[in-house]
């Protein structure tokens, strides 16, 4: 299979660019082990877990967060 080394981005519509991004992301999601997280990401996650363990932070249900954001937007 021949893969182009670049895309004609200046000729593509925003919708076409988004479709390509979505296809790439979907494909990458099938093999997450091939996309390692950077070291800083592990540090951020550890710091957040520590805040949760200390009771300084918590989790919100996605439906609640979405509702709050939509109310804020209005």
């Amino acid at each position: 299979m021949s893969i182009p080394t670049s895309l004609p981005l200046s000729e593509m519509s925003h919708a076409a660019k988004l479709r390509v991004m979505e296809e790439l992301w979907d494909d990458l999601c099938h093999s997450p082990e091939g996309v390692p997280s950077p070291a800083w990401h592990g540090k951020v996650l550890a710091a957040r877990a520590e805040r949760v363990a200390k009771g300084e932070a918590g989790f919100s249900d996605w439906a609640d967060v979405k509702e709050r954001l939509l109310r804020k937007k209005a």
Side-chain angles (χ1 to χ4, degrees), residues 4-64:
T5 56
S6 65
L7 295 171
L9 297 175
S10 62
E11 299 170 21
M12 294 170 67
S13 67
H14 289 297
K17 290 175 185 177
L18 288 171
R19 274 195 310 276
V20 169
M21 285 176 39
E22 289 172 2
E23 286 184 38
L24 285 169
W25 190 252
D26 286 344
D27 185 70
L28 288 170
C29 289
H30 292 302
S31 56
E33 66 282 350
V35 185
S37 293
W40 65 264
H41 193 240
K43 292 176 185 177
V44 169
L45 291 176
R48 290 180 181 175
E50 185 176 335
R51 288 185 60 215
V52 169
K54 289 180 178 179
E56 298 171 354
F59 297 96
S60 296
D61 181 80
W62 171 240
D64 295 336

Side-chain angles (χ1 to χ4, degrees), residues 60-74:
S60 296
D61 181 80
W62 171 240
D64 295 336
V65 172
K66 188 175 178 182
E67 184 179 324
R68 284 197 314 260
L69 290 172
L70 289 172
R71 276 196 312 252
K72 227 179 181 182
K73 193 176 178 182

